[in-house]
Amino acid sequence: MAQTNGNDPFSPPVSQERVVITNKHGERLVGLLHHTASNKIVVLCHGFIATKNDSLILDLAEALTKEGISVFRFDFSGNGESEGQFEYGNYRKEADDLHSVVLYLCQKSYDIAAVVGHSKGGDVVILYASVHDDVGTIVNLSGRFDLTKGIEERIGEGSIDRINKEGYLDVKDKSENASYRVTKESLMERLNTDMRAASVSISKGCRFLTVHGSADKTIPVEDAHEFAKHIPNHELRVIEGANHNYTSHRKEVADAVVDFITSNVTV
C-alpha cells in the first residue's frame, strides 16, 4: 500500500491500494482505493471508452482527498484492467458493477458519501439511483438525457442502418484499426434505456447534482436541463464555456463536486 500526499504538505496523508472486486457475473473489477483518515468515501465512475485513469477522474480524486474524503475509482467491466467484454451499451450492467462496488465498500465499513459519474458514467449513476436507495448523494457530470441521440455522431453516419442490416459494426480508430464492435443487441440496449423514466424514479431523499458545460459539443447542455425537470431533489450547475471534459475548467468542476458533497458530509 503506497503512501502519498501529493505536493501539498498541508494535505492529509493518503494511502493508495489496488483492489479487485468480483461483479455478479464473476468478472473481476479493478479499482484504486485512495484512503484518507476518514471512512467517508466517494466512488468515481468513468465514461465511454475511458478508464479509472481518465484525467478528469484523477483530478476529482485529488480534489476530494485534499478535503480528507476517501475515493474509490474503478474500471467498469470490459474497460481498462477489468475483466469482461467491452460493449457499446451495457448501461444496466455497469449500474450492476457499481452496485457490486458499493456492496464491497460497505462490507469494508466505508460510508458512501456519494457516487459521481462522468458522461456515460453520469447515466450509469442515474440508473443506479433509480433502482437503489443506498447512496444519498449522486453527481452526474455531463450525462446524456436522450440516449437515442448522439449515436451516428459517434460511430458514423448511416451506422444504425448498417447495424440493423448486418447485425454489427466494427468502429475503427484514426489508424483504421478496429477499436470496438457495436452489436445490434448493444445498440438496442442503449435505445431502450429510458433516462426520463429513470430520473423520475429517483427518491426525493436522494440529493442530486448535475454539472454540465455550456460549450459541450458532445452532449448539449439542454440535456442537463431535462434532468433538472425530472429528478425530484435536483440542483443544476452550468459551467460557462466548459466543454465535455472540462479541459480548461477543471477547478470549476472539481469545486462544484466537492462543495456539493461536503455540504452534507462531516469528514
Side-chain angles (χ1 to χ4, degrees):
M1 185 182 294
Q3 295 284 340
T4 62
N5 62 0
N7 297 317
D8 185 351
F10 300 104
S11 295
V14 182
S15 64
Q16 293 186 18
E17 179 185 1
R18 187 174 186 270
V19 174
V20 178
I21 300 168
T22 303
N23 68 9
K24 64 186 289 186
H25 303 281
E27 297 160 340
R28 288 153 56 92
L29 307 176
V30 178
L32 197 69
L33 176 65
H34 302 249
H35 180 70
T36 65
S38 175
N39 75 326
K40 301 287 187 182
I41 194 165
V42 173
V43 181
L44 301 179
C45 302
H46 65 77
F48 182 68
I49 56 174
T51 72
K52 64 183 179 302
N53 296 323
D54 180 83
S55 64
L56 175 59
I57 298 294
L58 295 177
D59 286 349
L60 292 172
E62 181 180 8
L64 288 160
T65 55
K66 278 186 176 179
E67 295 297 319
I69 301 172
S70 298
V71 166
F72 187 75
R73 54 187 173 91
F74 72 103
D75 296 323
F76 285 114
S77 53
N79 293 266
E81 294 184 88
S82 293
E83 294 178 346
Q85 181 69 38
F86 175 86
E87 295 285 354
Y88 175 73
N90 252 18
Y91 290 84
R92 296 286 182 185
K93 186 184 178 190
E94 291 188 359
D96 286 342
D97 286 348
L98 177 56
H99 189 48
S100 297
V101 167
V102 169
L103 290 176
Y104 172 87
L105 293 171
C106 288
Q107 289 167 2
K108 296 296 181 180
S109 299
Y110 281 98
D111 181 2
I112 314 293
V115 295
V116 180
H118 174 241
S119 194
K120 184 184 180 185
D123 289 305
V124 170
V125 301
I126 292 166
L127 291 171
Y128 183 89
S130 73
V131 176
H132 304 284
D133 60 0
D134 51 1
V135 177
T137 300
I138 305 289
V139 180
N140 157 41
L141 305 176
S142 310
R144 187 182 291 279
F145 184 80
D146 186 350
L147 291 177
T148 66
K149 296 182 179 179
I151 296 172
E152 295 201 339
E153 290 88 337
R154 165 78 73 170
I155 63 176
E157 186 176 348
S159 54
I160 293 177
D161 286 341
R162 288 181 60 190
I163 292 167
N164 284 328
K165 181 180 178 181
E166 300 176 17
Y168 70 92
L169 174 69
D170 286 327
V171 180
K172 297 182 179 181
D173 60 21
K174 292 178 181 178
S175 302
E176 289 300 304
N177 296 314
S179 182
Y180 57 89
R181 174 168 289 190
V182 181
T183 63
K184 185 175 182 179
E185 182 182 19
S186 66
L187 174 64
M188 294 308 298
E189 194 260 353
R190 170 170 170 152
L191 293 173
N192 291 327
T193 300
D194 186 343
M195 296 309 298
R196 181 191 178 281
S199 297
V200 299
S201 299
I202 295 173
S203 166
K204 291 180 180 179
C206 177
R207 298 175 66 248
F208 203 104
L209 172 69
T210 290
V211 183
H212 213 105
S214 68
D216 190 335
K217 294 182 179 179
T218 303
I219 299 174
V221 70
E222 286 76 16
D223 284 41
H225 291 282
E226 289 300 316
F227 285 123
K229 289 179 188 176
H230 295 96
I231 296 175
N233 184 6
H234 187 277
E235 183 176 320
L236 174 61
R237 171 77 187 277
V238 175
I239 298 180
E240 288 300 320
N243 64 14
H244 188 62
N245 292 311
Y246 304 91
T247 308
S248 301
H249 297 80
R250 289 293 169 85
K251 185 179 187 305
E252 292 91 331
V253 68
D255 286 349
V257 171
V258 169
D259 289 349
F260 187 75
I261 293 172
T262 57
S263 68
N264 199 48
V265 172
T266 302
V267 179

